[in-house]
Amino acid sequence: MADARDDGYGTGPGSTARTAGDGGRGFLGEVRDAVSTRSALVMLGVLLLQLGFALSYMGAFHAPKPHQVPITLVAPPAVERDLVARLDALPGDPVRVTPVADRAEARARLLDRRTDAALVVDPASRTDTLLVASAGGPSATTAATEILQRVARAQDRTIVVRDLRAPSAGDSRGLSSFYLVLSWTIGGYLAASALNMAAGSKKPTLRRTLVRLAAMLPYGFVSGIGGALIVGPVLDCLPGAFWELVGIGTLVVFASGAVGVALQSVAGTVGLGLTILIFTILGNPSSGGVYPASLLPPFWAAIGQALPPGAGTTVVRNTVYFDGNATTGALWILGAWAFGGVAVAILAAALRERRKRDGRRREPVAAG
């Protein structure tokens, strides 16, 4: 019996069998045992997401340049023709000019979110007025102001800027809408992932899929209330429109969660990576929260408002600051993502169950 004892350091008589059993495989054997093919593939997927994150954000933000920033112009006909020609001739096509009849129409276009700035030319003086609404995105306002001021200086004129709708004091940089929607989208797909991991990452049955989708509704509602409380009473970033924000938050979280449920139902763990790709890597830098589409490279400008982060940011910002103007299209986008997620999740689960039933029916025939 004494020979069977181990001295605790792997050198006693009792350690012989264990050393022969696993000590001989060496370092490479340990690596193969610790890093399986599946875990190596997961690490590769994480690496690709990491590199995609860096490429997407830096590609979108590293060199913002104005391109066709929408500008409204009010000027007498003779001045209008000359000024439109000057602005259209600027290198790089930085602005897109729309002449209108009077200041009232220009103001309406600005508050309806059909333009980023409105230049009102005063032919009786050398000072013109630039109407802006920086709550719609300070970076767009700054870009439009700088371009028009350069043109004015070349003509020995000056511009007075009047901000008709500035961000609230707690939202001085105009980014609260973006960060709020960012928290909602991440929360939605992480909640869906948590439901998936709680079941061992198995692809769900139809009944389990319906339960997961149903669970996203109260989760989205609570998330909407929490977000509205934080940006409203707690931090005073986006005051007012409390219940409107609750409704928007519920829709954004549910859309994100439904897509997460759908992609994980179709692709398992890989589905979480696809969800992160859509919402975080592609959706956030293109959303218009930091830079509007007119300052982003073409790819990001094209996809931004078609993805939930961009649509959600637009709805929140325009609801809080612009009485809900120009939100219909963005709401349809969010609704389409929510409906698509529900439809794909249910269809994937139903097809899996049908294949299982068909397989069970064929088993006795094969055995015979």
Side-chain angles (χ1 to χ4, degrees):
M1 293 296 292
D3 291 340
R5 289 180 300 175
D6 192 343
D7 63 2
Y9 295 93
T11 59
S15 66
T16 304
R18 190 166 64 225
T19 302
D22 47 45
R25 58 189 175 184
F27 177 74
L28 292 179
E30 290 289 346
V31 171
R32 284 193 294 269
D33 184 59
V35 184
S36 65
T37 301
R38 178 181 174 84
S39 62
L41 290 174
V42 171
M43 291 177 68
L44 176 61
V46 171
L47 175 63
L48 293 175
L49 287 175
Q50 170 190 320
L51 297 177
F53 185 94
L55 175 63
S56 182
Y57 278 71
M58 286 184 275
F61 296 155
H62 79 288
K65 185 170 67 173
H67 178 71
Q68 292 199 341
V69 177
I71 304 292
T72 296
L73 175 64
V74 180
V79 176
E80 176 188 298
R81 285 191 296 271
D82 178 67
L83 188 51
V84 168
R86 286 175 180 270
L87 293 172
D88 286 344
L90 291 174
D93 198 20
V95 297
R96 185 180 73 250
V97 184
T98 302
V100 298
D102 53 37
R103 184 180 181 127
E105 186 178 354
R107 176 188 173 92
R109 286 177 59 85
L110 185 65
L111 297 181
D112 288 346
R113 305 313 301 137
R114 289 178 288 163
T115 191
D116 283 337
L119 178 63
V120 182
V121 176
D122 182 1
S125 74
R126 304 204 65 80
T127 300
D128 302 322
T129 302
L130 182 64
L131 305 178
V132 299
S134 59
S139 56
T141 297
T142 300
T145 302
E146 290 177 351
I147 293 168
L148 294 174
Q149 284 180 336
R150 284 199 303 268
V151 173
R153 284 194 296 269
Q155 297 178 292
D156 196 25
R157 300 183 67 87
T158 58
I159 288 179
V160 175
V161 179
R162 300 194 183 281
D163 197 342
L164 302 184
R165 199 63 55 86
S168 66
D171 184 30
S172 59
R173 297 181 61 199
L175 296 176
S176 297
S177 301
F178 166 68
Y179 286 122
L180 177 61
V181 173
L182 173 65
S183 71
W184 281 336
T185 55
I186 292 177
Y189 70 68
L190 287 183
S193 180
L195 291 172
N196 187 56
M197 288 187 293
S201 299
K202 296 178 181 178
K203 293 183 178 180
T205 62
L206 178 58
R207 179 177 296 179
R208 181 63 60 86
T209 296
L210 293 173
V211 170
R212 290 181 182 180
L213 291 170
M216 293 309 305
L217 277 173
Y219 179 83
F221 182 66
V222 173
S223 297
I225 290 177
L229 285 171
I230 290 171
V231 299
V234 176
L235 298 178
D236 200 33
C237 299
L238 302 173
F242 178 85
W243 288 109
E244 290 90 338
L245 288 178
V246 171
I248 296 166
T250 303
L251 177 57
V252 170
V253 173
F254 181 78
S256 175
V259 171
V261 170
L263 291 178
Q264 290 176 76
S265 179
V266 171
T269 304
V270 175
L272 175 59
L274 294 175
T275 311
I276 294 172
L277 174 67
I278 293 170
F279 285 89
T280 302
I281 294 177
L282 295 178
N284 287 338
S286 65
S287 67
V290 178
Y291 293 119
S294 56
L295 270 68
L296 292 175
F299 173 75
W300 285 269
I303 67 173
Q305 291 304 303
L307 299 176
T313 299
T314 295
V315 173
V316 170
R317 182 178 281 162
N318 290 0
T319 296
V320 172
Y321 289 119
F322 299 100
D323 303 319
N325 291 322
T327 57
T328 302
L331 286 169
W332 275 106
I333 292 293
L334 291 172
W337 279 94
F339 177 80
V342 170
V344 170
I346 291 175
L347 182 61
L351 288 176
R352 273 197 304 274
E353 292 200 352
R354 181 177 177 179
R355 284 196 294 268
K356 287 180 180 179
R357 287 196 302 268
D358 291 346
R360 285 194 294 267
R361 290 195 193 103
R362 287 193 295 267
E363 282 177 2
V365 177

